[in-house]
Amino acid sequence: MIIGSLLLLGLFKFPLWNIVLGAPQYPDPLGMDIYIQGIQGVEEFDIQNIDGLNHYIGMKTIPKAEDMWEFEVFPLVIGIMVALGVIIGILGFFGKVSYKWFLGWFVVMSILGIMGMYDFNLWLIEYGTDLDPKAIMKLENLDGTPMTYKPPLLGYQKMLNFDVDSWPATGAYMIFAGMLLTVVAFFVGKKEWKSK
Amino acid sequence: MKKSINILFFLVIAAGLVGCNNGNDKRSSSKGQGGLATNAAERVYVAPGEHDEFYAFMSGGFSGQLGVYGLPSGRLLKVLPVFSQNPESGYGYTEETKPMLNTSYGFVPWDDSHHPDISQTTGKLDGRWVFINGNNTPRIARIDLKNFETEEIIEIPNSAGNHSSSFITENTEYVVAGTRFSVPVPQKDMSIKDYKGNFKGALTFISVDPDSGRMGIKFQLMMPGFNYDLSHPGRDKSHGWFFFTTYNTEEAHTLLEVNASQNDKDFIAAVNWKKIEEYVNNGGGKKVPAKYAHNVRDEHTHTATSTMLDEVLTVNPMDVPGAVYFLPTPKSPHGCDVDPTGEYIIGNGKLSADLTVHSFTKMLDAIENEKFDGEAYGIPILNFEDILAGVVKQPGLGPLHTEFDGKGNAYTTFFISSEVVKWKVGTWEVLDRQPVFYSVGHGMIPGGNSREPFGKYFVALNKITKDRYLPTGPELTQSAQLFDITGDKMELLLDFPTIGEPHYAAAIPAEMVAPNSRKIYKLSENKHKHAVIQDSDVRVERDGKEVHIYMNMIRSHFNPDNIEGVKVGDKVYFHITNHEQDFDVPHGFAVIGANTAEMLIVPGKTETLVWEPKQVGVWPFYCTDFCSALHQEMQGYVRVSPADSDIELSWGLGED
């Protein structure tokens, strides 16, 4: 349980999500790493170059850390969850709280995770659809509706000349592993409780 | 006669074999079955998107530039401007690069580039810099292999026809520049007929800073008035010595083709530069007035500055006993080449039918035992027989230059008989010969000038092509020919045209250079004094008749793109910063009627072009490099008003 929740600390070091844009002219694809504290380019100038390309289709520039409340709240939430997890773990270890608290932590974390994903998706929708009316290129779908550019939440999508891949990154895998460990802790705790 | 019938019979059989073979397995056989059965095309084919194995830097000859090629494909990757203006990039036209071509004779926009050499550490290529000589107005350039730009040019005073250059010692301690013409030193008004005994030949040792690469003339050795043709450093055991071929030891001043070909033997001058360095470090030598330019490009300001220097340290060889000896070498030797072990010094006597090989060990022994055969201007001449290691007998006609493969073989080019001959170092036996098309000058093996050659390919650098390519009027291209030298016999794989005349070349495994190649200049490191990093710094200023436009550019606009208030008679400076920080997104800048060229600005750089509008009107400028889908929209106007107009300067972008 303790290890599981401590794994969440990895989020402060490793990106949660990674979006990569490749195109014929970009044999070295452009990429952005989404951290809980902000968005960074995979290479030094990737964000600037993505913004440069996006200005053709009228997208807003990629938000800086201070532009989004999420980047202040997320680290706080993760910090609290880590602290809670460690406290529950220690108390559980000494038998002060029930193993059920482990599951409780897991459920709360899952809800927060889903909320986070939902929020992320909302942001992607806004980013991909709220386009400058004076955009240089205003493209339409075959049915005549204006083309939008929401990157996929998870997976691959072809967007104009770009191949866009959006996948969880190291930080996300650390959350998954951490959450899995807490479930393991729950069952171990349950077994020990039964054997008492 | 019988023998030739046998050979004919054999050929018929062999042809039969090839014929049969063709039906089944056309491409697999690589050896010994004639042209049809080789897979030469496969061995030089670099598939689309793949990279070559070697960079080859080939002198651009009378173009003054340096050609960068890939081997084995022979593809031209870049023409790197060095000694000549290059309107394609603006080199030598922009305010930043004009100082690179400054000399004591003023601005010299052209030269004749000859012998590139790649920097070395402990006798091995290190891939940091390429040095090349300008022959006509004596100069040495240093090209940085991170930026692929000419970073420094130093002029060589007291020299004329800077030909026995630019060869480097095995730790790049020195780049050496020898004069081809002897001249009066200092220059003066005198009769040409008084040449003999009065002219001097300067051999210049230019020190290279091991960190920055910065060059400075350490000393000039003032030799007798011969012609110094080519040179080569000793390496490994002979490190510390330098060897120069001479011709015209007759000291003729007219009709040299006859008068300089009379002596049976000319010399290779062996110079113990370590000894002279010590002498100089201890205060030896004489400072004499000499005017020469030293031009340096700063990596952070992208701007060259030219400094005029006014004295040079000269050394009289007589003042340093034991520093210089003459090795008698038959018949006007051209190339002077030292094998990778440093033991053998090959004199390619261009009017001789034989190749003379001197032994470094025997040379030291002869010096120690004073086995001299007279002297010339006080410099001891060693006895030919005492230092001779061997003779390659009758290998061909007109030997010019020898390279080594690091496996004990040497490859000598023959201009007159138009061939390359492979021979064994030590036994001096000829192993193979292959014709070249036509009249080869130098040959080159990657790393062939070092202790550790990469003996996979030999490149013949040919002077004449005649019928080898589609004709292009009376003026034809020169060429290079690529041989595979991994087998017992050399095998011609490829024949490709080159820019200018490829006198000499140097090649290096791509993996030693490519990973360091710069992609962009970082804007955050741009220290150009006229850079416009923030859009708020965009402006136009007037200073008397000078107008300075501080502009930036990014896909797909100039900022500003409308400028008014310029007047006829103004001198307009466009200082433009490329704001891109993406790989391979240069923008060009051209303005109508500019008496210069365009300028091509790579990401993160600032460059300046001067424009002097002569007519009233509204004049356009545009981006010349197809940068983006909106490249055609990347344009602007300058309004030029009459000289007495009182329209104020104004500028803008995106305003209605």
Side-chain angles (χ1 to χ4, degrees), chain B residues 259-539:
Chain B
N259 293 334
S261 304
Q262 296 307 307
N263 285 354
D264 185 45
K265 292 189 178 66
D266 294 284
F267 302 124
I268 286 177
V271 175
N272 186 337
W273 59 261
K274 283 227 160 142
K275 198 161 228 172
I276 301 172
E277 181 185 57
E278 194 186 325
Y279 167 76
V280 165
N281 285 345
N282 290 325
K286 185 180 161 203
K287 283 192 174 153
V288 301
K291 202 176 156 203
Y292 61 105
H294 184 202
N295 311 328
V296 180
R297 191 192 86 104
D298 183 281
E299 197 181 17
H300 299 293
T301 62
H302 330 136
T303 303
T305 47
S306 179
T307 311
M308 204 59 71
L309 302 172
D310 52 17
E311 67 176 12
V312 71
L313 187 69
T314 57
V315 173
N316 178 346
M318 289 303 82
D319 295 340
V320 194
V324 185
Y325 298 91
F326 284 136
L327 321 182
T329 305
K331 301 309 256 179
S332 302
H334 187 63
C336 171
D337 301 292
V338 179
D339 83 311
T341 67
E343 169 63 14
Y344 298 112
I345 303 135
I346 288 92
N348 303 266
K350 64 180 183 276
L351 305 179
S352 165
D354 296 338
L355 274 176
T356 306
V357 184
H358 300 298
S359 158
F360 179 70
T361 314
K362 288 185 175 180
M363 182 192 95
L364 289 186
D365 182 68
I367 291 169
E368 194 171 331
N369 296 303
E370 301 190 349
K371 293 177 182 169
F372 300 147
D373 183 16
E375 57 164 63
Y377 292 100
I379 294 168
I381 301 169
L382 300 178
N383 188 13
F384 179 72
E385 298 297 333
D386 287 330
I387 56 171
L388 189 69
V391 174
V392 184
K393 286 276 181 204
Q394 307 254 317
L397 281 176
L400 286 191
H401 175 233
T402 302
E403 287 274 292
F404 306 89
D405 64 4
K407 299 166 196 157
N409 302 305
Y411 300 76
T412 301
T413 54
F414 290 84
F415 179 81
I416 299 172
S417 52
S418 189
E419 60 188 335
V420 180
V421 172
K422 175 182 178 180
W423 51 274
K424 191 145 196 66
V425 177
T427 68
W428 326 119
E429 61 183 312
V430 171
L431 301 174
D432 187 26
R433 60 177 65 242
Q434 293 292 333
V436 291
F437 309 95
Y438 303 93
S439 292
V440 59
H442 280 252
M444 181 273 285
I445 290 172
N449 230 358
S450 72
R451 271 200 215 177
E452 290 185 8
F454 302 87
K456 188 169 179 183
Y457 300 114
F458 177 89
V459 181
L461 302 156
N462 303 328
K463 310 292 189 190
I464 298 170
T465 56
K466 302 268 187 193
D467 59 346
R468 295 296 287 182
Y469 305 103
L470 287 173
T472 54
E475 194 201 339
L476 302 171
T477 183
Q478 282 77 27
S479 79
Q481 289 187 293
L482 183 77
F483 289 87
D484 182 330
I485 54 166
T486 54
D488 291 339
K489 302 286 176 190
M490 297 175 277
E491 200 180 343
L492 179 62
L493 300 180
L494 184 70
D495 182 329
F496 58 96
T498 60
I499 57 152
E501 181 185 333
H503 287 274
Y504 191 30
I508 182 168
E511 73 219 21
M512 295 176 72
V513 172
N516 307 325
S517 182
R518 181 190 284 281
K519 292 192 162 175
I520 58 164
Y521 286 86
K522 287 186 184 178
L523 267 184
S524 58
E525 293 170 3
N526 182 327
K527 301 277 184 277
H528 192 293
K529 64 179 171 181
H530 299 311
V532 175
I533 308 296
Q534 305 295 332
D535 280 345
S536 52
D537 292 334
V538 164
R539 65 198 186 279

Side-chain angles (χ1 to χ4, degrees), chain B residues 128-256:
Chain B
R128 300 171 73 193
W129 307 301
V130 177
F131 297 88
I132 191 166
N133 55 320
N135 194 57
N136 180 53
T137 304
R139 288 177 274 181
I140 300 284
R142 178 174 57 83
I143 293 115
D144 179 273
L145 290 185
K146 183 171 90 179
N147 299 320
F148 277 75
E149 286 202 58
T150 304
E151 302 255 296
E152 190 176 5
I153 293 179
I154 192 165
E155 190 183 347
I156 316 296
N158 301 326
S159 176
N162 177 31
H163 195 271
S164 40
S165 322
S166 48
F167 301 100
I168 57 150
T169 55
E170 72 173 26
N171 292 302
T172 322
E173 295 100 331
Y174 292 98
V175 52
V176 173
T179 190
R180 167 186 160 182
F181 296 90
S182 283
V183 288
V185 177
Q187 275 288 5
K188 62 179 173 188
D189 178 20
M190 64 181 278
S191 171
I192 301 167
K193 291 191 176 65
D194 296 331
Y195 178 133
K196 200 163 186 169
N198 291 316
F199 284 23
K200 291 280 178 210
L203 306 179
T204 306
F205 284 71
I206 301 158
S207 62
V208 178
D209 183 275
D211 298 318
S212 66
R214 209 51 77 81
M215 300 186 284
I217 296 178
K218 180 86 170 177
F219 60 87
Q220 288 196 310
L221 189 61
M222 305 312 288
M223 295 284 284
F226 310 148
N227 290 40
Y228 296 85
D229 200 359
L230 277 163
S231 67
H232 205 91
R235 56 183 83 265
D236 207 346
K237 67 162 73 166
S238 50
H239 179 55
W241 289 77
F242 222 98
F243 304 94
F244 297 83
T245 46
T246 67
Y247 66 102
N248 192 24
T249 50
E250 297 87 349
E251 294 183 75
H253 56 81
T254 182
L255 196 63
L256 263 65

